[in-house]
Amino acid sequence: MAYAHAGESGVAILVYHRFGDTVADTMTVRVSTFEAQLRFLKEHGYHIVPLREAVAWLRDPSAPLPPQPVVITVDDGHRSVYERLLPIVLRERIPVTLFIYPSAISNASYALTWDQLRSLKQTGLFDIQSHTYWHPNFKVERRQQAPAEFRQFVHWQLQRSRQRLESETGAQVDMLAWPFGIHDDDLMALAADEGYVAAFTLEARKADRHARPLALPRFLMMDAYGPAALAHMLGESAAQPTFVAKEAQ
């Protein structure tokens, strides 16, 4: 069977935020950097798989997954997903999961509109999932609220996000990216209560079957992480010299 040894070392889940021609801030990855990363993955035998398929494999060893699996996720819902990432996704036919906090959509100047988000989903290549309703810092909120009030606040953030995303886009929302990667046992229990089956942190390692489903790790991607750095993340001994040269430019 082709997938008999798929993903035995785990799944690398990458998380991006913004894309551009230049590095406007620490969370912006240049389109040229992203394109170079995709070339590296293709030339080194990696398979970009939907996040949902990776989660299914993590939960069920009999679920199929190709060897050397990599997942691409993008947090926050910035407009550059539509303007810069979409053409690449359509050309390469790669699956992407977007973690969205709905309060910004059609509201903040930097964010996607609901029409754009629906258009992304209609391509069949973008999955839409929750990043809470307005991306709160749960550590700060916990300090400022009484325990019962805080629990109610978390429930509202998780429930309202899912309801708004599902009603606006028709997506099945049952996965969550923790804002700022902040999570703990209490937060995970609240997420489980709200019906989330998987949630994601910013811990830089591969996800394997030992990881907790509501605290699955992801690699935070920055523009400095060209193909050579990506190769190191994925456990490669070294990238091809041509990619190293490009990264150094």
Side-chain angles (χ1 to χ4, degrees), residues 131 138 158 176-183 187-188 191 199-201 214-215:
H131 201 21
F138 284 135
L158 301 183
L176 167 72
W178 294 110
F180 308 104
I182 295 169
H183 66 287
L187 288 170
M188 287 188 285
F200 301 86
T201 72
L214 293 171

Side-chain angles (χ1 to χ4, degrees), residues 52 128-130 162 166 172-176 195-199:
R52 193 169 293 281
I128 298 168
Q129 299 296 322
S130 173
R162 183 184 66 245
E166 289 182 343
Q172 175 192 354
V173 178
D174 57 5
M175 294 188 287
L176 167 72
Y196 288 92
V197 300

Side-chain angles (χ1 to χ4, degrees), residues 45-107:
Y46 289 92
H47 295 82
I48 299 175
V49 301
L51 179 61
R52 193 169 293 281
E53 290 185 11
V55 169
W57 178 83
L58 290 167
R59 299 175 71 187
D60 179 4
S62 67
L65 200 68
Q68 295 182 264
V70 173
V71 173
I72 294 177
T73 69
V74 186
D75 284 7
D76 296 345
H78 283 259
R79 195 178 294 266
S80 64
V81 171
Y82 189 85
E83 296 172 346
R84 308 313 306 272
L85 179 61
L86 175 59
I88 301 172
V89 168
L90 291 175
R91 185 191 74 220
E92 300 294 331
R93 309 304 296 177
I94 53 176
V96 173
T97 293
L98 303 178
F99 286 104
I100 302 295
Y101 58 96
S103 67
I105 304 302
S106 286
N107 187 28

Side-chain angles (χ1 to χ4, degrees), residues 10-19 27 29 33-42 46-52 54-55 58 68-76 85 94-99 127 177 200-207 216-222 225-227 229-235:
V11 183
I13 305 172
L14 314 181
V15 51
Y16 298 83
H17 287 78
R18 295 180 281 282
F19 301 88
M27 291 294 100
V29 172
T33 301
F34 183 65
E35 297 259 30
Q37 292 169 345
L38 291 181
R39 287 195 300 272
F40 169 81
L41 293 172
K42 182 182 295 185
Y46 289 92
H47 295 82
I48 299 175
V49 301
L51 179 61
R52 193 169 293 281
V55 169
L58 290 167
Q68 295 182 264
V70 173
V71 173
I72 294 177
T73 69
V74 186
D75 284 7
D76 296 345
L85 179 61
I94 53 176
V96 173
T97 293
L98 303 178
F99 286 104
D127 187 24
F200 301 86
T201 72
L202 296 174
E203 297 171 17
R205 56 187 175 84
K206 290 183 178 181
L216 295 171
R218 296 185 295 170
F219 294 95
L220 176 59
M221 304 303 292
M222 300 181 183
Y225 301 157
L230 179 59
H232 181 73
M233 285 182 190
L234 298 174

